[in-house]
Amino acid sequence: MYRKLIINDIKKSKLITITITVFILLASMLTSLAAILSASLFASIDGMMENAKTPHFLQMHAGEIDMRQLSNFAGEQANIENFQVTSFLNIEGAEIVIGEDSLAGSVQDNGLSVQSERFDFLLGLDGNIIRPTEGEIYVPIYYRKNGQASIGDSVAIHGVRLTVAGFLRDSQMNASMISSKRFLVNQADFEQVREFGKLEYLIEFRLTDPAAVAALEAAYLLAELPANGPPAITYSLFKMANAIDDGIMIAVLVLVSILVIIVSFLCIRFTLLAKIEEDYREIGVLKAIGLKTRSLKQLYLAKYSALAGIACTAGFVLSLFAKEPFLTNIRLYMGEAGGSGLGIAFGMLGALIIFFVVTLYVNGVLRRFKRISAAEAIRFGAPREKSKAAKGFRLSGSGMISPNIFLGLKDVLLRKKLYVTMLLVLAISSFLMIVPQNIYNTISQRNFMTYMGIGECDMRIDIQQTDNIAGKAEEIAGFMAEDSDIEEYTVLTSYMFDMRMTDGSAGKLKVELGDHSIFPIEYSYGRAPQSESEIAISGFVADDLEMGLNDTIALIACGQEKILTICGIYSDITNGGKTAKAVFDTGDGSGSVLWSIIPVRLQSGVTIDTKVAEYKNRFSYTKVADIDDYINQTFGGIADAVQKVSYAAIAAAAILTVLVTLLFMKMLLTKDRYSIAVLKSLGFKAADIYIQYLTRAFVVLILGIAIGTVLANTLGELVGVGLIASFGASAFHFAINPMFAYLFSPVFMAICVWSATRLSLAGISSLKISEYIKE
Amino acid sequence: MKKMISGKSIVKSYGKGQEATNALNHVDIEISAGEFVAVMGPSGCGKSTLLFALSGADTINSGEIELDGQDLSKLNENELADIRRTKMGFVFQQPTMLKNLNILDNIILSSLQDNKRNAKNITKKAKILMKDTGISELEDRDIAEVSGGQLQRAGICRALINEPEILFADEPTGALNSKSSEEIMEIFSAVNKNGTAVMLVTHDAKVASRAERVLFMKDGKIESQLSLGKFDEHNMEDRINQVILKMRSFDI
Ligand SMILES: Nc1ncnc2c1ncn2[C@@H]1O[C@H](COP(=O)(O)OP(=O)(O)O)[C@@H](O)[C@H]1O
Ligand SMILES: [Mg+2]
């Protein structure tokens, strides 16, 4: 009997049934998708890093290294399981010609390596360790994705000809955010090119207890082992770098699915309550003749469980297809690593959870059955509304408002509760449309770099891993002073200083000295150092030292102890993130110079490319970068992923808006049939009634957009900040694209609501007066 | 006399094919301007159907209806709505008021459609009507706050606000006690006296006796009619008796 009742009910309310099924389906699909993707992502990363035996601790160094000293260190440290030094032959991008084009435009540090002996292996796309033969070169997967290389291309490096035999996964340097890229060649070819490049060493350790990497890092610095390259990088940083691009996409996916789940719940609640209201009298009668509410409840519960069951299964199955495009990137960069079975299991679990949550929720809403009084239901036929025709807002005193608009407005005012569902959904839709777009806009803004510890400039010159850094910087600065194309520049030099910790032990700190006011960055707390006794530290340093604003740091500079007060804390993704900034003078440059950078702002009208080329030519010992290229190539991947998601979110919001408006208007129409018949008998045209309903829809829409926008700029910003903070930046504000947030998105939503209203009201003109008021 | 409504051979059937029933079976009817016509007949004989057909509120299957010289079948939905609003008034058994509006707003609503600039005059007119029907103190009430009789009066005011040429009433006193019923009928007589035609469906001989002409329907046909002449309070008894007699011969 239940089955028959359910089927009848579904037939009678097709639109509602379909809409709710679609929402549950979407919710389960998105949840399952997010679960599959995260499981696959982490399984793949773990798989790759295990296969490659990624080092737990890595320090780069250019110049002489004393192998005996390093071996001794490795021997002394109980925690070190394995240790090796591999070489990275840094080659100027312009000298690497793949096919026709060189890598001159690349912001990456490109270099050659041979396969490691013990660990840190470079893997092929099949996950195996590559052993290149003579004449073969394996290219980082990054360049395949860029379209800069394909198999069979010839590569010329200083006249040495090689052929691209395949692509490699580099568990350290895969991510676009990591700015070095290793090409793999045979030992013989490596020796041939050796004299043309600049040799750097990767000093790598595998640990027995990877958790204790911080202690090793400290010990390494203290032992004054070679460390003139960028700061040490650890296993967890490698892992994070590998996860970021896809991780952010998944995070946004999770956000979207949470919203869809909320909307599904709202719709279930709304339709169930409407249904109960419709059947109020019957429920009362059934109660009166002694039927227990339990069996009634079970009836509805059975219906919704059936729907949820079908929808969740379908959602799960769909997610299996939908996952493919999302997984291609993960597969390409990280490989499959047998994670697919696990991913599917997680996906199924996700869908199952949605099923149970929906069923529980329906059960909760249905508790209302208990409250229906048989007597009242039979007498009044409907739950009694307490609505009072809002006094004071009268047609007779309303002056110029058309009666249609008046009626629309008044209905919303009087039946607020009824419109809350639609309001919330529209608010969520507008939130959904704006937030991902804002995140995208924020990270694609030029000044976003200032939140990451990089001052906003046009061109940047790096002088590192060479001798007489200070002299070279001075030479370049001198030249720049004469260059009329340059508006502003400054020399920022990083030093390694000894630091006395609060417990008396010694530590090291990299401090960048110079004028920090010309190319300012954003500070999470406090501000830039202005006086000699102030210092700003990066978030990572603050975490390490467990210090905050106004704490003091004791540095040993110029042979004496300097007490510096922390005046600011900033996010830094450059140089491993452990840096500090100060303005004091080192006099003759005591302390060890690590590197110098010269950020440059060009006069407007000067082409950055030409300027970059000019300085590259003139000062061949430096690295000259076009900052826009740098930003593009570093964050472009993330920005692209977020942009994709933001388009998906816009589509989802549009679907939500249309479906819910359709559903809601249809229900209103059913509820209001009688009033519509009355209006028609009074000589109101279909077009008049249409205006009334459109007014209602638009009042709710406007409110919804307002709430959604406010939420997007507050709550949404928090979420966005959290997301973006996951890759190193913090304490920033949304860069809102006003055209999108305040024009496109509301107009687009208005179009959705308008067309859905139009569609659902098509039945008005055929509604017969006689059918609803004939005696 | 000018013809207000003329219907020829009207057929209206519900359902399809075998199950189709003729609610109106070739009905001919004429109502002159200013005339007061009552329609009587057993339940289900097609009275309401006739009323909705003549007012253009429902479509018919065949036949011809002219309202004030206009062929209804040639008008579209919007033109029909215009006619309903400007030339007709409706009163039903259950007062069909909008819950969201107070009494006064309910009354003036349809009039504002055409003259929203004139809200003041319309409100004034509504107040006069309310005074005439004895509900002037109710203008600000919610419709849930007044009695059935009062609501029915408000319904009449609403029907009259656009000064219609004809008033359609479907059992307007059906839900009222005899005292209220009498008072409502006083109003109808007064309205008719002012020149508005009235077509009224009723089961009540006393109510019907106020009409100039009473039509008797059965099974979708007008079987007979009774002419009573202009309403005259003094021979009320006699008029009622005539109606009752005719009803008896019809088994109503
Ligand atoms: N919407 C409808 N669908 C089917 N039959 C209807 C419909 N409306 C009325 N009828 C039938 O048409 C006949 C006339 O109905 P109606 O005009 O309402 O009668 P009255 O008002 O005289 O009581 C009745 O037999 C009734 O059952
Ligand atoms: Mg009837």
Side-chain angles (χ1 to χ4, degrees), chain A residues 732-753:
Chain A
F732 62 90
H733 290 289
F734 261 170
I736 295 165
N737 177 354
M739 278 296 279
F740 182 88
Y742 305 129
L743 188 73
F744 173 78
S745 139
V747 167
F748 186 57
M749 292 212 17
I751 292 172
C752 290
V753 167

Side-chain angles (χ1 to χ4, degrees), chain A residues 388-389 391 394-396 403 410-411 414 674 678 680-685 688 768 770 773-775, chain B residues 14 48 58 78 81-82 84-85 90 92-94 96 100 102 105 109 112-113 140 142 145 158:
Chain A
K388 277 247 162 152
K391 307 254 175 194
R394 286 189 215 107
L395 193 49
S396 39
K410 186 133 192 188
D411 195 70
L414 286 182
Y674 179 74
V678 172
K680 280 190 135 187
S681 81
L682 290 177
F684 279 74
K685 295 170 190 163
D688 296 322
K768 286 215 175 101
S770 52
I773 36 182
K774 192 152 63 182
E775 311 292 347
Chain B
Y14 293 107
S48 298
D58 205 350
N78 285 342
D82 285 334
R84 272 201 291 278
R85 198 170 63 254
F90 288 89
F92 304 99
Q93 176 174 356
Q94 301 292 337
T96 55
N100 284 351
N102 67 17
D105 283 355
L109 181 62
L112 285 179
Q113 268 303 89
D140 216 11
D142 257 14
E145 298 169 341
R158 183 180 67 180

Side-chain angles (χ1 to χ4, degrees), chain A residues 267-279:
Chain A
C267 284
I268 288 174
R269 188 189 143 81
F270 172 67
T271 47
L272 256 183
L273 292 186
K275 184 81 191 126
I276 292 175
E277 190 176 312
E278 216 180 295
D279 297 350

Side-chain angles (χ1 to χ4, degrees), chain A residues 100-141:
Chain A
E100 312 272 280
D101 304 313
S102 81
L103 293 181
S106 168
V107 297
Q108 305 284 347
D109 282 332
N110 298 296
L112 299 188
S113 283
V114 295
Q115 189 60 275
S116 310
E117 279 159 28
R118 302 184 190 171
F119 57 93
D120 185 22
F121 300 115
L122 301 176
L123 304 176
L125 298 190
D126 54 4
N128 294 328
I129 299 167
I130 310 172
R131 307 273 175 208
T133 57
E134 246 174 274
E136 282 185 345
I137 186 167
Y138 284 81
V139 179
I141 193 73

Side-chain angles (χ1 to χ4, degrees), chain A residues 353-613:
Chain A
I353 290 174
I354 296 292
F355 172 76
F356 280 115
V357 171
V358 167
T359 320
L360 271 179
Y361 185 75
V362 170
N363 196 41
V365 174
L366 288 176
R367 246 178 267 146
R368 270 161 204 264
F369 271 134
K370 275 213 175 107
R371 284 193 251 141
I372 296 178
S373 122
E376 199 171 284
I378 293 168
R379 269 232 312 278
F380 300 107
R384 284 197 285 168
E385 290 175 41
K386 277 179 256 130
S387 109
K388 277 247 162 152
K391 307 254 175 194
F393 186 46
R394 286 189 215 107
L395 193 49
S396 39
S398 68
M400 304 288 285
I401 308 183
S402 110
N404 292 321
I405 292 178
F406 177 90
L407 284 176
L409 283 175
K410 186 133 192 188
D411 195 70
V412 179
L413 276 180
L414 286 182
R415 300 198 286 181
K416 291 187 199 84
K417 260 194 173 162
L418 189 64
Y419 291 93
V420 165
T421 310
M422 186 176 167
L423 177 73
L424 288 179
V425 173
L426 292 183
I428 288 173
S429 291
S430 102
F431 182 89
L432 198 55
M433 236 184 238
I434 298 174
V435 172
Q437 181 67 30
N438 276 356
I439 295 177
Y440 166 70
N441 199 45
T442 306
I443 59 183
S444 59
Q445 286 281 307
R446 199 159 190 264
N447 74 358
F448 183 63
M449 62 180 113
T450 61
Y451 292 107
M452 308 269 225
I454 308 169
E456 190 182 341
C457 57
D458 295 325
M459 176 172 95
R460 194 174 98 163
I461 297 182
D462 284 69
I463 312 159
Q464 52 178 288
Q465 295 179 342
T466 154
D467 49 5
N468 190 19
I469 287 174
K472 283 173 177 161
E474 220 163 280
E475 182 193 346
I476 297 173
F479 182 78
M480 282 181 172
E482 305 292 315
D483 188 341
S484 61
D485 286 344
I486 288 178
E487 188 186 318
E488 265 180 315
Y489 69 91
T490 189
V491 179
L492 300 170
T493 305
S494 291
Y495 296 82
M496 180 72 88
F497 289 112
D498 290 315
M499 171 172 60
R500 198 169 51 74
M501 315 290 268
T502 28
D503 63 1
S505 66
K508 296 265 185 192
L509 185 63
K510 278 176 222 91
V511 183
E512 185 178 60
L513 298 180
D515 186 342
H516 300 289
S517 66
I518 300 176
F519 297 94
I521 58 163
E522 292 289 334
Y523 286 80
S524 316
Y525 309 99
R527 53 166 175 77
Q530 284 159 359
S531 77
E532 289 237 339
S533 62
E534 286 177 334
I535 189 166
I537 56 176
S538 73
F540 282 130
V541 173
D543 288 347
D544 271 6
L545 300 181
E546 294 174 3
M547 284 187 182
L549 285 186
N550 298 323
D551 288 340
T552 56
I553 288 180
L555 280 192
I556 320 291
C558 318
Q560 51 183 315
E561 195 169 284
K562 255 184 187 318
I563 305 293
L564 300 167
T565 310
I566 298 173
C567 64
I569 295 173
Y570 56 91
S571 315
D572 195 356
I573 60 150
T574 64
N575 302 317
K578 293 186 182 175
T579 59
K581 295 180 194 292
V583 293
F584 60 79
D585 202 1
T586 50
D588 57 352
S590 74
S592 54
V593 175
L594 293 171
W595 62 78
S596 283
I597 64 166
I598 309 177
V600 175
R601 184 160 21 250
L602 300 174
Q603 299 284 6
S604 58
V606 178
T607 326
I608 299 178
D609 282 350
T610 5
K611 212 63 208 172
V612 168

